[in-house]
């Protein structure tokens, strides 16, 4: 999707936390990015590098955890793994799959000094 | 900068708002987070996360809670006004995540990257619920006929409902002027370099509109099939409008929007005889992305299918009104109970 601005959102969260928790440096930022969130990992990494420059998190290691895309297949009556919102069910090939997981975009935690 | 697409900020204008306004930049809210955990008698460790946000920019005082729980995950309590700036991380993912590193150096965040917008959206939603307002967020690409559809809808609802409109566009108040010509109140929000409306802008627009109870609020988002998908405005439903002069494969090209919507209006169907647009294929594509998507075929110019759309809106209004009245009943009941207690004590 639009990684530059997500990076800005992440920076805001990190800076808010720094003000509240009183830490001076962030060495690692761990993110949970769902497979169906539309976020390109490489692009986000690139943008974070730029956006975090000059902040408490400059040079921090960015760890991306990809939450798998999951959907409920009406045909099969079970949860299946999907890679995109428009993917068919890998079991029955039907399109009656309602995404149930993998759309999250969150900052999980920070390693700080 | 927009938290989704990186577009610029700072040129947002809301009609009647008398100072230049940075909708993303300035912050009137003060989230407080504190954590603490409980160990229950049975040894279960139990904790919850609350973020309390106080908003000072609206006439009413909003107090939003967002609970961030993951099923199966150990959760922790965060309480405003309690143990200062201390966070306990013993239960955090630090356990598995960074062996050898001091737990105290791990700060657990668990925040949605779009969390700030979601807090404002929750405030708007609460306002809608208290006033029986049925709010719909109309999203589409530019040129799908949103404004013409709105004008027609307002005309059809003239004797049936109170309607107000929030118009989102990068520039000009052309659309709001078109709406106001129908007699319905409208507020134009110019997003400047922004590519979508966010919940904070809508909150400000609500203050200006001062909607009466049981109104219909139609929010016409900026014409853009990407970014508005990610921004909850507090609406009851996102309604995506696709016109048959666009490609039938748009639901696959822009899946996020069709996934976020509850209803798709296929507009300009009066033009179908002149086009190579495969309605069945389009609906099929849309339902691949969102199997629960409801679809209506309409033409704002010929009026075809508009009755069904208006009936859908009236249904939503009725539900919102019923919910408000139930709330009022509950409050009255509560007041009676408290008065009875007071009488018993005096």
């Amino acid at each position: 999707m639009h990684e530059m601005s997500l990076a800005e959102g992440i920076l805001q969260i990190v800076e808010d936390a720094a003000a509240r928790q009183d830490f001076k440096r962030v060495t690692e930022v761990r993110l949970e990015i769902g497979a169906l969130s539309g976020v390109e990992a490489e692009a986000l990494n690139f943008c974070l590098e730029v956006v975090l420059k000059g902040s408490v998190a400059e040079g921090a290691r960015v760890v991306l955890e990809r939450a798998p895309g999951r959907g409920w297949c009406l045909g099969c009556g079970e949860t299946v793994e999907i890679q995109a919102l428009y993917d068919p069910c890998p079991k029955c090939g039907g399109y009656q799959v309602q995404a149930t997981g993998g759309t999250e975009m969150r900052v999980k935690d920070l390693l700080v000094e | 900068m927009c938290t989704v697409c990186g577009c610029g900020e700072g040129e947002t204008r809301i009609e009647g708002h008398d100072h230049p306004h940075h909708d993303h930049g300035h912050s009137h809210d003060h989230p407080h987070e504190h954590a603490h955990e409980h160990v229950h008698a049975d040894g279960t460790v139990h904790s919850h996360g609350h973020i309390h946000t106080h908003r000072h920019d609206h006439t009413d005082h909003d107090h939003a809670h967002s609970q961030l729980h993951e099923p199966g995950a150990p959760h922790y309590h965060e309480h405003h006004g309690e143990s200062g700036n201390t966070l306990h991380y013993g239960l955090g993912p630090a356990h598995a995540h960074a062996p050898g590193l001091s737990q105290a150096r791990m700060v657990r965040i668990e925040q949605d990257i779009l969390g700030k917008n979601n807090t404002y959206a929750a405030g708007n939603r609460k306002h809608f619920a208290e006033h029986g307002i049925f709010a719909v967020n109309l999203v589409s690409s530019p040129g799908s006929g949103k404004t013409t559809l709105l004008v027609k809808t307002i005309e059809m609802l003239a004797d049936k409902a109170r309607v107000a409109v929030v118009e989102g566009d990068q520039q000009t108040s052309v659309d709001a002027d078109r709406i106001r010509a129908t007699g319905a109140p409208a507020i134009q929000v110019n997003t400047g370099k922004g590519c979508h409306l966010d919940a904070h802008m809508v909150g400000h627009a609500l203050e200006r509109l001062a909607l009466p109870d049981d109104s219909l609020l139609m929010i016409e988002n900026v014409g853009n099939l990407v970014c508005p998908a990610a921004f909850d405005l507090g609406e009851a439903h996102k309604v995506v409008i696709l016109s048959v002069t666009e490609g039938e494969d748009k639901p696959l090209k822009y899946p996020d929007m069709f996934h976020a919507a509850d209803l798709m209006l296929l507009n300009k169907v009066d033009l179908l005889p002149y086009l190579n647009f495969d309605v069945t294929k389009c609906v099929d594509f849309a339902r691949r992305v969102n199997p629960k998507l409801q679809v209506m075929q309409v033409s704002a110019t010929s009026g075809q299918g508009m009755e069904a759309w208006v009936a859908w809106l009236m249904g939503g209004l009725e539900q919102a009104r019923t919910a408000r009245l139930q709330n009022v009943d509950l409050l009255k009941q509560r007041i009676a109970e408290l008065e009875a207690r007071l009488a018993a004590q005096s």
Side-chain angles (χ1 to χ4, degrees):
Chain A
M1 212 176 350
H2 318 278
E3 289 69 12
M4 196 58 183
S5 43
L6 289 176
E8 292 275 356
I10 292 164
L11 174 63
Q12 199 180 354
I13 289 171
V14 170
E15 286 187 331
D16 285 352
R20 267 200 317 273
Q21 317 278 336
D22 196 29
F23 52 79
K24 299 280 173 280
R25 211 167 90 80
V26 179
T27 54
E28 187 176 299
V29 179
R30 197 155 59 113
L31 309 172
E32 184 180 26
I33 303 291
L36 304 181
S37 65
V39 176
E40 290 299 327
E42 253 182 62
L44 183 59
N45 267 322
F46 175 81
C47 296
L48 274 172
E49 205 175 299
V50 177
V51 167
L52 296 182
K53 204 160 269 179
S55 76
V56 288
E58 176 163 358
R61 199 161 79 94
V62 177
V63 180
L64 280 190
E65 288 187 359
R66 294 297 275 195
R70 287 182 208 285
W72 175 258
C73 176
L74 288 173
C76 299
E78 61 180 290
T79 297
V80 293
E81 196 158 314
I82 50 173
Q83 313 304 324
L85 289 172
Y86 45 80
D87 266 0
C89 168
K91 295 201 165 156
C92 70
Y95 285 100
Q96 291 286 298
V97 183
Q98 185 72 37
T100 51
T103 53
E104 47 283 275
M105 297 185 278
R106 317 172 72 191
V107 179
K108 287 201 78 144
D109 47 47
L110 310 171
L111 260 184
V112 304
E113 286 176 356
Chain B
M1 186 179 282
C2 155
T3 50
V4 166
C5 69
C7 65
E9 61 161 302
E11 293 185 21
T12 307
R13 282 198 303 274
I14 297 172
E15 278 185 320
H17 215 68
D18 46 5
H19 61 90
H21 201 72
H22 289 238
D23 266 277
H24 299 271
H26 79 207
S27 157
H28 298 286
D29 61 348
H30 311 284
H32 304 268
E33 289 175 61
H34 305 275
H36 78 194
E37 63 193 58
H38 307 284
V39 180
H40 292 277
D42 63 357
T44 327
V45 183
H46 187 84
S47 49
H48 288 270
H50 301 255
I51 298 170
H52 296 245
T53 302
H54 299 267
R55 298 167 62 196
H56 300 289
D57 53 342
H58 288 241
T59 44
D60 52 337
H61 180 79
D62 280 291
H63 196 86
H65 293 240
S66 68
Q67 287 198 305
L68 308 166
H69 285 192
E70 277 182 299
H75 39 213
Y76 56 95
H77 258 302
E78 292 179 337
H79 276 301
H80 165 50
E82 286 189 21
S83 52
N85 274 330
T86 318
L87 276 175
H88 302 278
Y89 308 110
L91 289 173
H95 263 327
H97 176 55
L101 272 163
S102 156
Q103 293 281 313
R105 291 164 64 202
M106 177 74 67
V107 178
R108 181 162 171 153
I109 304 284
E110 295 290 356
Q111 263 187 52
D112 197 305
I113 295 173
L114 298 174
K116 197 164 177 174
N117 180 73
N118 294 344
T119 308
Y120 282 117
N124 293 345
R125 189 162 280 125
K126 186 164 162 267
H127 177 86
F128 295 145
E130 281 167 0
H131 295 277
I133 295 166
F134 182 55
V136 290
N137 179 359
L138 303 173
V139 290
S140 81
S141 39
S144 65
K146 278 196 300 297
T147 313
T148 307
L149 184 98
L150 267 179
V151 168
K152 184 79 181 177
T153 306
I154 293 166
E155 284 168 6
M156 291 176 74
L157 285 169
D159 306 322
K160 297 177 183 162
R162 278 170 294 211
V163 189
V165 175
V166 174
E167 275 290 343
D169 277 303
Q170 259 198 298
Q171 297 295 352
T172 81
S173 62
V174 172
D175 277 3
D177 294 343
R178 277 177 74 188
I179 299 296
R180 282 191 282 251
T182 68
I187 290 285
Q188 180 82 44
V189 178
N190 285 143
T191 56
K193 299 254 185 286
C195 54
H196 61 268
L197 292 175
D198 65 37
H200 189 204
M201 298 174 189
V202 171
H204 275 305
L206 285 179
E207 285 173 4
R208 307 242 139 232
L209 281 170
L211 293 170
D213 285 359
D214 308 330
S215 297
L216 170 65
L217 177 67
M218 309 230 263
I219 304 166
E220 183 182 335
N221 219 313
V222 179
N224 173 351
L225 268 182
V226 186
C227 307
F231 287 82
D232 183 6
L233 305 179
E235 74 275 353
H237 301 283
K238 280 194 179 72
V239 176
V240 63
I241 297 155
L242 181 67
S243 60
V244 296
T245 49
E246 305 169 60
E248 61 255 290
D249 49 4
K250 265 199 175 159
L252 295 184
K253 289 177 169 171
Y254 302 94
D256 291 318
M257 189 60 87
F258 291 84
H259 184 251
D262 297 312
L263 170 66
M264 173 167 94
L265 294 179
L266 195 58
N267 195 17
K268 308 189 188 176
V269 289
D270 55 310
L271 298 178
L272 278 171
Y274 314 103
L275 302 164
N276 289 319
F277 186 93
D278 189 335
V279 173
T280 317
K281 208 163 152 189
C282 176
V283 173
D284 178 53
F285 285 158
R287 293 223 168 105
R288 282 189 194 186
V289 175
N290 182 357
K292 287 196 292 196
L293 188 69
Q294 212 182 328
V295 181
M296 289 180 190
Q297 296 187 38
V298 299
S299 166
T301 36
S302 77
Q304 185 185 335
M306 291 293 286
E307 291 293 342
W309 158 239
V310 167
W312 185 88
L313 289 172
M314 291 302 293
L317 264 171
E318 185 51 36
Q319 265 184 13
R321 198 178 73 95
T322 311
R324 178 182 69 82
L325 291 176
Q326 277 170 356
N327 239 338
V328 170
D329 285 346
L330 282 174
L331 283 173
K332 280 183 182 159
Q333 208 181 321
R334 178 91 183 118
I335 289 170
E337 279 167 19
L338 289 172
E339 276 175 348
R341 265 174 63 187
L342 200 63
Q345 282 177 10
S346 56

